[in-house]
Amino acid sequence: MRASALLLLALALSACGLQPMYAGGSSGQVGQGLAAVDVPAIEGRAGWLMRNALTDRLGVAGDASPRYRLDVRLDDQLEGLGVLSDDSISRERRILRARYQLVDLANGEILLDRTAGSDAGIDVVSSEYATIAAEERALENLAEEVAGRIVTQVSLALRDRQ
């Protein structure tokens, strides 16, 4: 009875239609598609961080000739949240939003047009240096997180296209 239950479970799982997205690793369809995505320069420090994070994630399959272009526009905001009785700010929030488009270079078709974003809280302390360092570290972390979200969506778009 137990064996038949395991057999039914195995059959049900094989019929669910789930497939690994990165099947074949860097030589698979999605891996090769990601390696063929070119990311042009993005304006500003946040853009530099974002482009580096994206190229680190996209270039895992080696050097392929570009078939796609990923255009990214960033909105980086820093706003004060916690205001003390002396009108000083005790907490900040850094928000990084990205609007991105995946463009097929062969025909100029936009394959993906989306936004991704995240935010982080920052404590404002008495040391201005420590606060600036925390703001910069938050930007670095946000760029990595948003880049991960973008690459996931690009991977899904490329998988569906192929």
Side-chain angles (χ1 to χ4, degrees):
M1 181 149 161
R2 183 179 282 189
S4 61
L6 286 174
L7 181 62
L8 284 174
L9 181 62
L11 288 173
L13 283 177
S14 66
C16 72
L18 291 177
Q19 302 173 20
M21 184 174 354
Y22 300 107
S26 62
S27 60
Q29 288 180 339
V30 173
Q32 290 297 318
L34 289 176
V37 175
D38 177 47
V39 182
I42 306 168
E43 189 177 325
R45 174 161 167 67
W48 179 79
L49 291 168
M50 177 64 70
R51 184 176 186 278
N52 285 343
L54 287 168
T55 55
D56 286 348
R57 286 176 168 76
L58 293 170
V60 294
D63 295 326
S65 60
R67 292 178 38 208
Y68 308 101
R69 184 181 71 238
L70 185 63
D71 294 325
V72 181
R73 287 190 313 248
L74 293 178
D75 180 26
D76 177 27
Q77 297 178 357
L78 188 63
E79 59 184 34
L81 288 179
V83 180
L84 300 175
S85 60
D86 63 350
D87 288 333
S88 63
I89 296 173
S90 65
R91 186 111 173 115
E92 294 176 333
R93 181 170 76 168
R94 184 150 219 166
I95 305 164
L96 184 64
R97 301 279 181 255
R99 170 133 191 250
Y100 58 96
Q101 293 179 327
L102 182 65
V103 179
D104 188 336
L105 293 176
N107 56 16
E109 178 186 1
I110 296 175
L111 305 175
L112 186 65
D113 186 359
R114 296 241 170 117
T115 59
S118 190
D119 60 88
I122 302 163
D123 287 329
V124 177
V125 295
S126 61
S127 167
E128 188 175 331
Y129 175 78
T131 301
I132 292 170
E135 291 169 354
E136 290 301 311
R137 185 64 181 162
L139 180 60
E140 293 168 8
N141 291 341
L142 290 172
E144 290 288 333
E145 186 175 335
V146 173
R149 292 178 184 187
I150 291 172
V151 170
T152 299
Q153 291 302 313
V154 168
S155 299
L156 290 171
L158 291 175
R159 183 192 67 180
D160 292 344
R161 183 171 171 82
Q162 298 170 357

